[in-house]
Amino acid sequence: NAGVMQNPRHLVRRRGQEARLRCSPMKGHSHVYWYRQLPEEGLKFMVYLQKENIIDESGMPKERFSAEFPKEGPSILRIQQVVRGDSAAYFCASSPSRGHDSGANVLTFGAGSRLTVL
Amino acid sequence: DQQVKQNSPSLSVQEGRISILNCDYTNSMFDYFLWYKKYPAEGPTFLISISSIKDKNEDGRFTVFLNKSAKHLSLHIVPSQPGDSAVYFCGPGGTSYGKLTFGQGTILTVHP
């Protein structure tokens, strides 16, 4: 049973280009979350999605960033016109609709996509 | 909004001794608190959780304590092993809503 798959693992972009990061959740998981880890900082929540719906995007920058989780295919985090400050590790996580035995809803994280903006 | 603080950016302990990692929060509205562990170049992995109605949860070498009056929780690892060296994040979570707001993380180094 494959875990959360993220690709690419490493992405290099020049300022002004677009970056697209993909995330396939664990089998059976219907919720997807994106987190960002800037250098020397902790994990910051960006967005929470279910199929075809954005549930919570309170952590997304207001401009240039967008996310989707279509009916078919992986979730995509899109960054337009990248700047050097976007260089970070972007982690995707997935979870089932409810925690096991009504316990905590545990997130399963992917290995991350490291974006470097030159 | 939930604010979570891990005031110790790093901790260094000797193998076999106890590691104590701390976490403070401001908002008491949560169902669970969760701890995740992260190795370099990997995604975080779930370690242990505690329900808001409990004050202790133990799983092998890992025990989490919750002090609701002080809005403080701690993770105890005993005995500590070199393989425990990682970054530890804490954060509140729910039963159905999986969004986590993490603290800044504590880098634990366990020396052989």
Side-chain angles (χ1 to χ4, degrees):
Chain A
N1 181 19
V4 176
M5 304 302 293
Q6 290 189 247
N7 69 83
R9 290 294 310 276
H10 300 277
L11 181 64
V12 179
R13 286 287 179 265
R14 296 193 180 278
R15 282 180 297 170
Q17 291 184 319
E18 179 180 287
R20 286 195 180 212
L21 309 177
R22 297 173 196 79
C23 170
S24 296
M26 271 190 75
K27 188 176 180 181
H29 284 189
S30 55
H31 299 197
V32 166
Y33 312 80
W34 285 92
Y35 286 80
R36 177 167 68 172
Q37 186 175 27
L38 294 167
E40 309 301 324
E41 293 190 18
L43 288 159
K44 302 291 188 186
F45 168 78
M46 298 181 76
V47 63
Y48 161 38
L49 311 104
Q50 296 178 20
K51 285 284 188 182
E52 300 184 281
N53 282 307
I54 296 174
I55 307 302
D56 182 342
E57 56 181 350
S58 57
M60 287 280 271
K62 293 287 183 278
E63 298 177 346
R64 303 187 296 107
F65 284 72
S66 62
E68 63 176 5
F69 188 17
K71 188 177 179 181
E72 302 289 339
S75 175
I76 306 284
L77 179 67
R78 182 183 178 204
I79 311 171
Q80 296 177 288
Q81 298 175 309
V82 296
V83 300
R84 288 217 175 101
D86 297 333
S87 296
Y90 291 83
F91 292 95
C92 171
S94 70
S95 74
S97 57
R98 289 191 71 81
H100 180 66
D101 288 337
S102 296
N105 199 335
V106 173
L107 303 187
T108 300
F109 281 83
S113 293
R114 184 164 298 278
L115 172 65
T116 301
V117 180
L118 302 177
Chain B
D1 193 16
Q2 185 68 254
Q3 294 293 323
V4 180
K5 287 188 178 179
Q6 293 178 255
N7 292 317
S8 298
S10 64
L11 175 67
S12 181
V13 300
Q14 205 67 32
E15 181 178 7
R17 305 295 291 268
I18 185 171
S19 296
I20 300 177
L21 297 97
N22 296 302
C23 187
D24 295 302
Y25 59 94
T26 56
N27 187 334
S28 300
M29 301 297 293
F30 66 91
D31 295 325
Y32 291 89
F33 249 95
L34 300 92
W35 284 91
Y36 283 74
K37 179 169 74 172
K38 183 183 181 303
Y39 293 116
E42 294 184 15
T45 55
F46 171 71
L47 184 60
I48 191 170
S49 66
I50 186 166
S51 166
S52 61
I53 62 173
K54 298 199 182 244
D55 53 21
K56 177 182 175 181
N57 186 30
E58 188 173 353
D59 183 3
R61 296 185 298 113
F62 303 90
T63 303
V64 57
F65 296 92
L66 175 61
N67 183 334
K68 286 186 281 293
S69 61
K71 296 186 179 180
H72 176 83
L73 70 159
S74 60
L75 173 67
H76 292 210
I77 306 172
V78 55
S80 301
Q81 300 173 353
D84 297 329
S85 297
V87 182
Y88 290 78
F89 295 96
C90 66
T95 301
S96 57
Y97 192 60
K99 172 188 172 184
L100 293 173
T101 302
F102 288 106
Q104 302 92 316
T106 297
I107 302 170
L108 173 65
T109 303
V110 181
H111 298 285

